[in-house]
Amino acid sequence: MTRDDARALDAADPLRRYRDLFDLPEGVIYLDGNSLGPLPRASTAAVADMVARQWGDGLIRSWNDADWIDAPARIGGKIAPLIGAEPDEVIVADSTSANLFKAIVAALRFNPTRKTVLSETGNFPTDLHVAEGAVECVPGARLAAVPRGRIEEAIGPDTALVLLTHVHYKTAERFDMARLTTRAHDAGALVLWDLSHSAGAVTIDLNHAGADLAVGCGYKYLNGGPGAPAFLYVAKRLQDRLTNPLSGWMGHAAPFDFEDGYRPATGMKRWLAGTPPMLGMAALEAGVDLLADVDMAAVEAKSRALFDLFAAEGDALGLDCVSPRDPARRGSHISFRHPHAYELCQALIACGVIGDFRAPDVLRLGLTPLYLGFEDCWRAARILEDVLTTEAWRDPAFAERNAVT
Ligand SMILES: Cc1ncc(COP(=O)(O)O)c(C=O)c1O
């Protein structure tokens, strides 16, 4: 593809207008929106309003006057259409890790005759780590992790919960949600989907798949800001049958009755534990509002085209692409395996192309259609070519490991 070809594709891009809704720094090509979404322009004003007016002037009155108290359910309701859920099936709370814990323990307690949580080796570490901790909280429970290709055959009569990440954080491989969910249900197990790398990136239909539980991050494709609160989905049919092991006062049926005993709220509110973090909620809501009128089919179509552009450039450079070529089997990032992926990533960042590195050897580039153009990707590929051919990545400064990669 030539630069002119890329420009022509940008000129015909139906998503073009969204780019101006983001405050992107000059001179940067941002290929890491799958890790931390950039700043939506509206978030600056929303957070300023939250701080100065709602907190500064409104003080504690804002829990009622600015409807802070309903923010978890309200924002959850706005995320729902992005994941194929009803508005009253999603709530915003805590982190993805904390929501995983709540959902895993709840699923194990739901069916006490089954003891196994089944997951994938190489799943995102927090999913496995939290599952490890969660099974220790339920007598007799255990975690079994098997390679991706063996998950279906490993689902059995002792499986209480199948815990899977829909789009793999490293390779971008995507599970067939409907198929795996049916397979788990046929064996009598529940399924918990981690949508961190899918929500806002690919079309998702939890209800159509018959999914039971799902969690996901607010700070990736939802552009909710660093450490944004996460979301949790519980299918309506299970909402009053599962209980939250983090039985905090905000999940109580009547928090302001200040009772000694715990009585869970009905619906999704029982999945709250403590007080919602309103500064983070304000940024997350602005990020989610930006997606309200986005055509996800157009997003997926453009993501495919950006992937094809990058995959062709990677092939020409002799790079080893570890992401599936079939768009139905992947999410919205492209990953290349390279023995010096870390140094390569740092050298790219020094040239204004921000991607990330995932140990031990993966260079990961997020393809986020709302603010990334074809010409951006074309330019990023030229810079990648330059860094590889000049071996600029060999500068020892690029080998120094940062705390966050
Ligand atoms: C699949 C997946 N799950 C969970 C998380 C992180 O969860 P938390 O926000 O609790 O750190 C990530 C972060 O990158 C992720 O990729």
Side-chain angles (χ1 to χ4, degrees), residues 95-97 124 126-127 165 169 194 196-197 217 219-220:
S95 62
T96 302
S97 301
F124 188 77
T126 212
D127 297 65
T165 295
Y169 77 101
D194 184 335
S196 294
H197 281 274
C217 294
Y219 49 77
K220 298 179 184 293

Side-chain angles (χ1 to χ4, degrees), residues 211-273:
D212 304 297
L213 297 152
V215 297
C217 294
Y219 49 77
K220 298 179 184 293
Y221 296 93
L222 301 185
N223 307 307
F231 65 87
L232 171 69
Y233 156 93
V234 181
K236 210 171 287 177
R237 64 182 178 283
L238 292 170
Q239 284 180 4
D240 292 331
R241 299 166 71 201
L242 298 181
T243 50
N244 179 0
L246 285 183
S247 43
W249 75 308
M250 281 289 155
H252 191 279
F256 289 89
D257 283 0
F258 296 101
E259 293 170 9
D260 283 353
Y262 180 71
R263 278 190 297 124
T266 52
M268 289 305 292
K269 286 216 169 134
R270 71 175 51 186
W271 297 95
L272 298 175

